[in-house]
Amino acid sequence: MKKEDIDRIIAEAVENDRKGRASKWHRGKAKQGGIATARKVLNWTFMIGFLIAIIIYFVFPEQKVLFFSFGFGAIVLKLVEFYLRFMF
């Protein structure tokens, strides 16, 4: 084989790999609008809940039950978002 043939084969393989990766990561994104919106809402709610838990921890150090309630509630929301990300 000549050097030009090898370069052409490598270039074709790289281009095919690039096309395969693009279709792998971008397939089905348009039809998942509802799930993507739900994930965004759950993620923002998690961040707000976790921020509230941190504020409660420092402002009201004696309120451990309230701190754990917000903290674990935020973690449950994050787990639901995590489930939606990988199952749909």
Side-chain angles (χ1 to χ4, degrees):
M1 293 186 99
K2 295 181 181 179
K3 184 179 183 299
E4 293 82 20
D5 293 337
I6 294 172
D7 289 340
R8 182 183 47 81
I9 292 170
I10 291 172
E12 288 174 1
V14 168
E15 185 63 30
N16 288 339
D17 184 56
R18 186 177 297 136
K19 288 179 183 176
R21 288 182 191 207
S23 65
K24 175 184 173 184
W25 291 107
H26 296 291
R27 69 173 173 237
K29 294 291 184 185
K31 60 184 173 181
Q32 290 187 354
I35 293 174
T37 304
R39 284 187 53 225
K40 286 180 186 177
V41 169
L42 286 169
N43 204 28
W44 277 102
T45 309
F46 158 75
M47 289 189 281
I48 292 169
F50 196 68
L51 183 65
I52 291 171
I54 291 172
I55 291 170
I56 289 172
Y57 180 79
F58 287 110
V59 174
F60 304 110
E62 66 279 351
Q63 295 290 331
K64 297 293 184 192
V65 174
L66 191 60
F67 163 70
F68 284 119
S69 297
F70 273 98
F72 286 130
I75 290 172
V76 167
L77 289 174
K78 188 63 179 175
L79 289 174
V80 170
E81 188 269 332
F82 184 79
Y83 173 78
L84 288 175
R85 180 188 326 163
F86 290 106
M87 296 306 289
F88 297 103

